[in-house]
Amino acid sequence: LLGVLWNWCLYGALAVQLYVYSYNFPDDMKFLKLLVYGVFIIETLQTALSGADVYYWFASGYGNLNHLASPYAMPFDIPIIGAVVSLSVQFFFVYRIWVLSGKKSWLICLIICLVSLN
């Protein structure tokens, strides 16, 4: 329960960061805007699913210990959505390393991509 509450707090910080980004960088590249808004939408989905988990466990299943034992949506929202967000952000960092190195460190970028996929 505390982890989900902390997730909602961090989601609020993410929403503020999205507002600041869209206000300060309106002329960014299209793919970068797509990445930022895509990560925000995926995080919104993950936050909503974790809220549904908490509702299922503690509100609709109040007093029923079988509700606490069933994972409900957690097998999807935690590992799969977390992996998608993590992979997209790590690939963006690889892209930034590649650009900042003058497009010379392709081997390091390839190694990071392969490690990220693992």
Side-chain angles (χ1 to χ4, degrees):
L1 181 63
L2 293 177
V4 173
L5 292 174
W6 183 243
N7 185 21
W8 290 340
C9 292
L10 291 177
Y11 178 75
L14 180 65
V16 171
Q17 286 179 342
L18 179 72
Y19 172 75
V20 170
Y21 167 76
S22 63
Y23 183 76
N24 289 328
F25 302 104
D27 299 326
D28 262 355
M29 297 181 301
K30 294 287 185 195
F31 109 90
L32 187 56
K33 285 183 179 183
L34 181 69
L35 178 69
V36 169
Y37 292 126
V39 166
F40 182 74
I41 289 170
I42 292 171
E43 283 296 323
T44 301
L45 175 68
Q46 193 270 334
T47 303
L49 286 174
S50 66
D53 283 339
V54 168
Y55 178 79
Y56 176 78
W57 290 327
F58 298 113
S60 71
Y62 183 75
N64 185 356
L65 294 179
N66 291 331
H67 273 238
L68 291 176
S70 79
Y72 196 58
M74 190 176 15
F76 175 73
D77 68 10
I78 302 297
I80 295 175
I81 293 177
V84 167
V85 169
S86 173
L87 188 67
S88 62
V89 170
Q90 288 173 358
F91 279 176
F92 174 73
F93 285 148
V94 166
Y95 167 75
R96 293 300 301 161
I97 291 169
W98 184 62
V99 168
L100 291 174
S101 70
K103 301 181 181 180
K104 295 178 183 175
S105 62
W106 63 270
L107 184 60
I108 292 173
C109 292
L110 179 68
I111 292 170
I112 293 172
C113 284
L114 291 175
V115 169
S116 296
L117 288 173
N118 227 348

